[in-house]
Amino acid sequence: MFEGRNEALVTLALLFISHEIIYFARCIPYLIADQIPSLQKYKIQQKTIQNTAQNQWKVFRYVLISHFVFELPMIVGFHPVAVYFGMAISSVPFPPLQKMAFQIFLFFVFEDFFHYWAHRGLHYGPFYKHIHKLHHEWSAPFGLAAEYAHPIEVMILGTGTIAGPLMWCYATGDLHLITTLTWMTLRLFQAVEAHSGYDFPWSTHNWLPGWSGAEHHDYHHMAFTNNFSTSFRWWDHIFGTNKKYIAYKERKAAEAKAKKAL
C-alpha cells in the first residue's frame, strides 16, 4: 500500500476511509435489530423511542458532514505529528500481537480517564449549554449518534483518543501505525456499542467485568447525569458519580421483583 507512494497521503486515506467504513458498518447490526420485533425486548429504554428513520437520517447527514468538515482536517495533521513523535508508519514486520494488546490496553485506560474528566467538565453550565447539549439531543441514543456532537466536543474528546498513542510514542519511541489503527477501530466499536440503546446477552459488559457498555451509558443520556466514563466503570465508582445510577438500578430491580410476586 505504501510502496512507491506518498506516505502522508496513504496514511491520510487509510485512516479516513477506514474510519468511515468501520463507524457506519458498526452501526448496521443495530439498524437491523431495529427492524426485528423479537429483539426489541433488549432495547434499554422501552418508553422513549428516538431511533426512528427520520432521526437516523438526520444524524447520518450531520455526522457525515462533520467527518468531512471537522474530522478530516484533524486526520490530515496526524501524519506529520506522528512522524515527529517517532511513530513507525510503513515499516515491517508488524509488532507482535502481545505488544499491540498491551499498548492498546494502556490507550483504553488513558482515554477513559481523559474522557471521564473532559466529559464531566462538558456538563458544567455554559459548556453544556453551548457545546455538549447537542449530543444530549438524544435521551434514548442509537448507534449513529455516537459521534453526533459539537465540533469543539469532537476535538476535545478526540484528543483523548489520539493523545495516548502520541504520548506513548514520544516516551518510548516504540509504536507502529498498525497498532494505532487497531486501537482506533476498537474505540469506534466501543463508542457505537455504548450508544446503541441495546443490552443483548452477548453485549460486551455482560462478559467483560468492569466494562461500561450501553447499559451504563444509556442511563447517562436518560438522566443527563452520572456515568461520565466511556469504556470502564472504574472512575465513576472511584469518584462517586454513579450513585444515582446505582439507586436507579436498585429501584428498577425492586419494581421487577414486586411485579413478579403478583
Side-chain angles (χ1 to χ4, degrees):
M1 190 181 298
F2 283 93
E3 189 174 357
R5 298 181 176 91
N6 183 288
E7 187 180 81
L9 291 178
V10 174
T11 302
L12 169 62
L14 179 62
L15 291 177
F16 184 70
I17 294 173
S18 63
H19 178 275
E20 298 308 288
I21 293 174
I22 293 164
Y23 181 79
F24 291 112
R26 180 69 174 111
C27 296
I28 291 175
Y30 300 111
L31 293 171
I32 295 174
D34 290 342
Q35 308 305 316
I36 302 177
S38 62
L39 293 181
Q40 296 313 298
K41 62 185 177 181
Y42 299 116
K43 200 82 174 69
I44 298 170
Q45 295 191 50
Q46 294 287 331
K47 296 181 179 180
T48 304
I49 306 299
Q50 293 186 321
N51 58 332
T52 63
Q54 182 180 5
N55 289 342
Q56 300 266 16
W57 176 242
K58 174 185 176 180
V59 170
F60 172 78
R61 285 181 298 167
Y62 179 91
V63 170
L64 188 62
I65 293 172
S66 176
H67 285 175
F68 277 90
V69 177
F70 302 112
E71 293 192 25
L72 180 57
M74 295 171 65
I75 295 175
V76 169
F78 173 82
H79 180 267
V81 175
V83 171
Y84 175 80
F85 281 103
M87 186 180 297
I89 302 297
S90 57
S91 61
V92 290
F94 291 157
L97 289 177
Q98 298 93 324
K99 178 186 287 188
M100 291 177 62
F102 174 71
Q103 292 174 344
I104 290 170
F105 172 73
L106 293 180
F107 300 158
F108 263 113
V109 173
F110 172 82
E111 193 280 333
D112 198 47
F113 184 76
F114 180 95
H115 187 107
Y116 173 85
W117 287 107
H119 186 191
R120 191 171 173 179
L122 285 170
H123 274 261
Y124 169 71
F127 295 154
Y128 180 83
K129 180 180 180 181
H130 298 292
I131 300 175
H132 192 49
K133 187 176 181 179
L134 177 65
H135 184 66
H136 273 280
E137 182 177 337
W138 312 110
S139 58
F142 42 90
L144 281 170
E147 292 189 348
Y148 182 85
H150 191 284
I152 294 177
E153 178 173 346
V154 172
M155 289 187 287
I156 292 173
L157 298 185
T159 299
T161 300
I162 195 59
L166 291 178
M167 290 171 60
W168 175 265
C169 187
Y170 180 76
T172 67
D174 183 19
L175 184 64
H176 198 285
L177 177 64
I178 192 64
T179 305
T180 305
L181 184 60
T182 304
W183 148 240
M184 291 179 175
T185 299
L186 294 175
R187 176 72 178 94
L188 285 173
F189 267 64
Q190 178 275 325
V192 173
E193 181 195 40
H195 291 84
S196 68
Y198 284 96
D199 184 15
F200 297 114
W202 56 85
S203 293
T204 310
H205 83 96
N206 287 320
W207 53 268
L208 185 60
W211 191 253
S212 294
E215 187 273 337
H216 187 260
H217 191 66
D218 204 88
Y219 176 82
H220 175 78
H221 275 263
M222 182 187 73
F224 302 95
T225 187
N226 271 207
N227 297 4
F228 296 105
S229 58
T230 175
S231 295
F232 306 107
R233 304 186 181 215
W234 311 333
W235 309 119
D236 285 297
H237 177 73
I238 292 172
F239 297 110
T241 49
N242 63 349
K243 293 180 180 179
K244 292 181 180 179
Y245 162 71
I246 292 174
Y248 170 78
K249 293 289 290 181
E250 291 175 346
R251 185 169 69 253
K252 294 293 288 185
E255 291 173 357
K257 184 177 181 181
K259 186 177 180 179
K260 189 176 181 180
L262 294 177

